[in-house]
Amino acid sequence: EAQVTQNPRYLITVTGKKLTVTCSQNMNHEYMSWYRQDPGLGLRQIYYSMNVEVTDKGDVPEGYKVSRKEKRNFPLILESPSPNQTSLYFCASSFSRQAGGGYTFGSGTRLTVV
Amino acid sequence: AQSVSQHNHHVILSEAASLELGCNYSYGGTVNLFWYVQYPGQHLQLLLKYFSGDPLVKGIKGFEAEFIKSKFSFNLRKPSVQWSDTAEYFCAVIPSGGSYIPTFGRGTSLIVHP
């Protein structure tokens, strides 16, 4: 089944403790993105990647890192999480620049930083 | 940079009522347009998309949207809503050329009363 898989689905952590949220897609998609979703603010893009070893900042990159060493994986790293990073995170992927099918989204990761 | 405006933040309807959700974008060039739906507790799913051709686009579950270039709009419609349409709806815009960076609206929360 074609899908974007995020792990974990839920995570509670403490301020300053490094964490990684994994994202993997099995559709050979070139484009991958991370978004955070907050009430009243909708979806905001954190980072995106156009292909392996090509990443760029989105609208709200501060406090986050990403890597794209393989086409299928696009982990989101929080080196020193803070409470303002408590949010719902979505990974998404798309086949190509033209994005004929639009984005496919993962199921989300609800992160709480205390 | 492009922007997307969804005018209705919260919409409450009774079953069988007609629905129209507004989406306006600001971008001078050619765009690709999308509507996504997010059911409670789930991830975003593609509802419909417009790339070119017939400006009236039909999507899943009886939804349709009309692209009006002169008004920079891509409103979502459904003639008769059901309780199961209760969800959050996001409009998204991607410029056809250049960097593939989609911009999402802030979303419209739709509640349908049975």
Side-chain angles (χ1 to χ4, degrees), chain B residues 13-19 78-83 112-113:
Chain B
L13 296 172
S14 298
E15 273 193 320
S18 65
L19 169 73
K78 186 170 184 179
S80 176
V81 294
Q82 301 172 306
W83 174 78
V112 180
H113 288 300

Side-chain angles (χ1 to χ4, degrees), chain B residues 40-73:
Chain B
Q42 296 188 28
H43 61 279
L44 279 78
Q45 303 169 48
L46 184 64
L47 203 53
L48 50 78
K49 62 188 178 187
Y50 171 81
F51 274 66
S52 63
D54 188 344
L56 184 61
V57 178
K58 294 195 185 300
I60 59 172
K61 305 187 180 188
F63 285 91
E64 64 178 31
E66 185 175 12
F67 171 50
I68 303 179
K69 191 174 180 180
S70 61
K71 295 185 178 179
F72 298 90
S73 70

Side-chain angles (χ1 to χ4, degrees), chain A residues 21-59:
Chain A
V21 183
T22 63
C23 174
S24 180
Q25 50 92 4
N26 62 0
M27 296 165 282
N28 202 35
H29 282 174
E30 294 175 6
Y31 287 82
M32 297 186 76
S33 286
W34 275 104
Y35 292 86
R36 60 179 289 174
Q37 184 179 18
D38 302 288
L41 297 176
L43 284 166
R44 293 180 293 169
Q45 192 175 51
I46 303 170
Y47 269 94
Y48 66 97
S49 169
M50 294 190 186
N51 215 323
V52 175
E53 301 291 3
V54 181
T55 63
D56 211 342
K57 296 176 181 178
D59 298 320

Side-chain angles (χ1 to χ4, degrees), chain B residues 75-102:
Chain B
N75 292 353
L76 181 71
R77 300 194 294 247
K78 186 170 184 179
S80 176
V81 294
Q82 301 172 306
W83 174 78
S84 58
D85 293 325
T86 293
E88 191 140 12
Y89 293 81
F90 292 90
C91 181
V93 170
I94 301 172
S96 293
S99 178
Y100 178 75
I101 304 177

